[in-house]
Amino acid sequence: MPSMSLFSFAALVSFAALILPRVFAAGVADVDSLTYVWPLPAEFSYGNGTLSVNPGLSLVAEGGGGGSGTIKDAFDRYYKIVFQHNDAFSILNAFGRRSKTAGFDINKLRVIVHSKDEGLQLGVDESYSLSVPTKDGNSIAGEAVIEANTVYGALRGLETFSQLCTFDFGTKTVLVRKAPWYIKDKPRFAYRGLLLDTSRHYQPIEVIKHIIDSMSFAKLNVLHWHIIDEQSFPLEVPTYPKLWQGAYSRWERYTVEDAYEIVNFAKSRGIHVMAEVDVPGHAESWGKGYPQLWPSSSCREPLDVSNNFTFDLISGMLSDMRKIFPFELFHLGGDEVNTDCWTFTPRVHRWLQSHNMTGKDAYTSFVLKAQQIAISKGWTPVNWEETFNNFPEKLDRRTVVHNWLGPGVCPKVVNSGLRCIFSNQGVWYLDHLDVPWDKVYTAEPLEGITDPSKQKLMLGGEVCMWGETADPSNVLQTIWPRAAAAAERLWSKWESIPTANLNKTVLPRLHYFRCLLNTRGVQAAPVTNAIARSQPQGPGSCYYQ
């Protein structure tokens, strides 16, 4: 990595050693020694000083990517978060408290981005370093420095810097405590996802944006948008305009422009959007506009495998969606397929016989044909684990298998040479309200995978917000704070994550992050209630509920 504008990160760390910072050690039980940054950075050190941050904090952007509008917009967002209590200098000056520049330790935030490439691919470099140095109790040169190879690493650094900044109500200033800080950080896994189901209950655009913002606070980077399912088809598909007749109502729909807006909003926060079209099951809603997709009027899913129109429509729909969703992964579902509708419908049954197929054969054929359609559009197919469980050797070798049914699947997947995403429903399904935060936190995507070459095939994991009982009234408090527990597992180094005394080493930090979400307008529920998203049990502090 090229040198920083002040001096190299290594030199900063050496300097930090001279002033005796306290270095984090896994398993520390002293609450005062805990690091209240979520998720925990890969490498960091800190001291015992306190620095004040100028409410006139300015951005100095440098490097090949320093001119990025993404960085400027992100700085403006975080400025509003950090200085939410410092509304105007005029108020401070009216009480004679401070001038705009007098007496502050940190006056500038220098952000160095080496690459101007803003392509957002799976595995994009999200690493960054952050230094908040001190000398004799003051910030050297009056600035903090973030250095990253890409704008997306810089975004992660801005989030960390914002968490170091806390408002002091006594002095009415923003402070960075435990300075100096030296952080060198990168994610453990490339794929850190959240599934959002907008078929079982419609989620308005502004709610989805709010969820994306909240994801960025925990450094999650993939929104798996489960847009459609058997209950409703809310997405506009220009080539087949009758499809969204399957929406619940004419108001609960997403236009092409809406979908574009979500994708671009997410990209500005370093978040991919992976769309899902679940085939051949979970598709009854498609037939509201095109009933010829149903095997019969009384047997409406899986989609009719015997009708060429089925695959023509899938191809046309994916062509339309490819113009909207640039992420290289596309989810094709493939789960919970009951082939009785094919075998018991006389017309389809005759077709199966003429092609010498059983229902299972037709299921296999359907999935493989859908994969090839997606691949022809330039996508890498993702399928739920039933496809691997039923016909692993027939899946395209580019397939990413998405685990959900239980443990022990990903080891089999990676041993076969395919890649895997971990979402074990016993621990990472957020609609399972009886799963406590600690079970979410201790779930390990690499469990049973010890070979380093196989570990590389684990893309990461994803918590799933299925929507049967979640709508705009409760979706955020169902997602948070338990999704944050998985987010730290996916971002932070295994060696840094405590495995014992969680109530002392992790719970206070999770309480703190939940309260941080609340202050940022995210309706995160209490951490320790027996049933997730339930209300507080009575009066009390945000930090102990």
Side-chain angles (χ1 to χ4, degrees):
M1 183 179 291
S3 298
M4 297 174 65
S5 59
L6 296 179
F7 33 82
S8 70
F9 184 85
L12 284 172
V13 173
S14 297
F15 177 80
L18 296 176
I19 54 176
L20 300 177
R22 295 186 294 173
V23 181
F24 178 87
V28 172
D30 179 6
V31 171
D32 291 335
S33 71
L34 297 180
T35 300
Y36 291 91
V37 176
W38 196 284
L40 201 65
E43 300 175 28
F44 61 94
S45 63
Y46 57 85
N48 56 13
T50 299
L51 301 176
S52 59
V53 185
N54 192 336
L57 184 72
S58 62
L59 170 68
V60 179
E62 298 177 344
S68 169
T70 300
I71 297 299
K72 175 63 168 61
D73 292 344
F75 176 81
D76 290 344
R77 290 196 305 273
Y78 280 110
Y79 179 91
K80 292 177 182 178
I81 289 172
V82 169
F83 295 103
Q84 59 182 293
H85 295 291
N86 297 70
D87 192 28
F89 292 117
S90 59
I91 297 175
L92 295 174
N93 292 336
F95 288 95
R97 298 188 65 86
R98 281 189 187 269
S99 69
K100 186 172 180 177
T101 58
F104 292 100
D105 301 309
I106 302 173
N107 300 296
K108 297 177 182 178
L109 179 61
R110 189 177 301 274
V111 179
I112 306 165
V113 181
H114 296 295
S115 174
K116 63 181 180 180
D117 183 3
E118 295 194 28
L120 184 60
Q121 302 88 22
L122 182 67
V124 69
D125 189 346
E126 297 176 85
S127 66
Y128 68 91
S129 61
L130 168 61
S131 63
V132 188
T134 64
K135 183 178 182 181
D136 298 329
N138 298 305
S139 174
I140 298 173
E143 65 181 30
V145 181
I146 295 170
E147 184 175 11
N149 288 325
T150 72
V151 294
Y152 305 111
L155 292 177
R156 307 305 176 224
L158 282 166
E159 173 58 40
T160 299
F161 178 74
S162 75
Q163 292 190 29
L164 295 182
C165 296
T166 58
F167 185 73
D168 184 274
F169 284 86
T171 61
K172 296 189 178 179
T173 56
V174 172
L175 303 177
V176 175
R177 294 184 170 87
K178 293 187 175 182
W181 283 94
Y182 303 99
I183 296 172
K184 191 172 184 180
D185 201 10
K186 64 179 181 180
R188 183 183 180 209
F189 290 104
Y191 186 109
R192 308 179 305 281
L194 166 69
L195 178 147
L196 180 66
D197 173 7
T198 59
S199 174
R200 277 51 179 264
H201 282 95
Y202 177 80
Q203 300 289 351
I205 292 296
E206 289 306 310
V207 172
I208 297 175
K209 286 182 176 180
H210 202 24
I211 290 169
I212 291 170
D213 260 334
S214 67
M215 290 173 62
S216 71
F217 301 152
K219 298 187 175 74
L220 294 174
N221 73 338
V222 181
L223 176 69
H224 174 179
W225 193 0
H226 188 88
I227 310 175
I228 56 184
D229 209 292
E230 65 187 77
Q231 290 84 0
S232 74
F233 196 117
L235 180 67
E236 179 185 18
V237 178
T239 302
Y240 292 94
K242 294 181 181 180
L243 278 171
W244 68 354
Q245 290 182 13
Y248 286 124
S249 70
R250 63 178 181 269
W251 302 285
E252 295 169 290
R253 291 175 171 176
Y254 304 107
T255 65
V256 167
E257 291 79 9
D258 291 334
Y260 270 120
E261 186 175 354
I262 289 299
V263 169
N264 291 328
F265 185 89
K267 183 181 180 184
S268 70
R269 288 147 178 81
I271 293 174
H272 312 275
V273 179
M274 178 178 70
E276 179 177 357
V277 171
D278 196 347
V279 292
H282 289 277
E284 179 180 346
S285 62
W286 301 30
K288 300 289 181 64
Y290 297 96
Q292 60 267 48
L293 294 169
W294 291 334
S296 73
S297 60
S298 60
C299 200
R300 298 182 173 187
E301 62 180 19
L303 295 168
D304 190 347
V305 67
S306 70
N307 190 344
N308 288 334
F309 176 70
T310 299
F311 298 98
D312 292 341
L313 185 144
I314 291 172
S315 181
M317 178 168 58
L318 294 194
S319 291
D320 285 352
M321 295 180 75
R322 194 64 175 111
K323 298 171 186 175
I324 304 170
F325 299 101
F327 188 40
E328 60 260 46
L329 300 184
F330 190 86
H331 209 300
L332 292 167
D335 62 313
E336 297 182 322
V337 178
N338 184 342
T339 61
D340 288 350
C341 199
W342 293 339
T343 56
F344 293 155
T345 301
R347 176 182 54 82
V348 180
H349 181 65
R350 288 193 296 271
W351 182 90
L352 291 174
Q353 288 182 318
S354 69
H355 288 77
N356 196 28
M357 283 187 179
T358 64
K360 182 178 179 180
D361 294 334
Y363 166 44
T364 303
S365 175
F366 199 118
V367 168
L368 298 183
K369 189 175 291 189
Q371 283 196 333
Q372 291 310 307
I373 292 172
I375 289 169
S376 73
K377 314 296 182 188
W379 270 315
T380 297
V382 183
N383 285 98
W384 294 109
E385 71 172 76
E386 285 96 325
T387 59
F388 177 81
N389 295 339
N390 283 283
F391 42 93
E393 70 287 346
K394 294 184 179 180
L395 290 172
D396 188 277
R397 302 308 296 170
R398 288 163 281 195
T399 303
V400 177
V401 177
H402 195 166
N403 152 249
W404 74 278
L405 285 171
V409 175
C410 284
K412 296 176 183 177
V413 171
V414 299
N415 284 336
S416 76
L418 299 178
R419 292 176 292 173
C420 196
I421 295 169
F422 174 89
S423 289
N424 178 356
Q425 65 173 334
V427 287
W428 279 11
Y429 267 31
L430 299 173
D431 57 313
H432 292 194
L433 302 180
D434 59 344
V435 177
W437 73 269
D438 54 328
K439 284 192 176 181
V440 179
Y441 190 83
T442 54
E444 172 48 42
L446 291 182
E447 184 177 7
I449 306 173
T450 57
D451 184 336
S453 66
K454 305 301 183 185
Q455 291 179 347
K456 292 179 181 179
L457 295 175
M458 278 298 301
L459 294 185
E462 171 181 294
V463 286
C464 298
M465 183 61 264
W466 295 107
E468 284 86 350
T469 64
D471 69 3
S473 72
N474 62 5
V475 66
L476 279 160
Q477 52 264 58
T478 313
I479 293 171
W480 305 106
R482 290 182 302 159
E488 182 155 284
R489 176 65 58 187
L490 292 167
W491 177 277
S492 304
K493 291 196 307 183
W494 170 261
E495 296 81 5
S496 300
I497 298 176
T499 56
N501 298 319
L502 295 183
N503 287 337
K504 293 183 178 180
T505 59
V506 179
L507 182 56
R509 297 178 51 246
L510 186 54
H511 277 306
Y512 187 90
F513 185 71
R514 179 254 174 165
C515 297
L516 179 144
L517 291 174
N518 287 171
T519 63
R520 296 184 181 189
V522 180
Q523 294 88 1
V527 177
T528 57
N529 284 3
I531 301 298
R533 81 182 177 204
S534 57
Q535 69 278 6
Q537 300 302 306
S541 166
C542 172
Y543 298 93
Y544 298 99
Q545 292 181 345

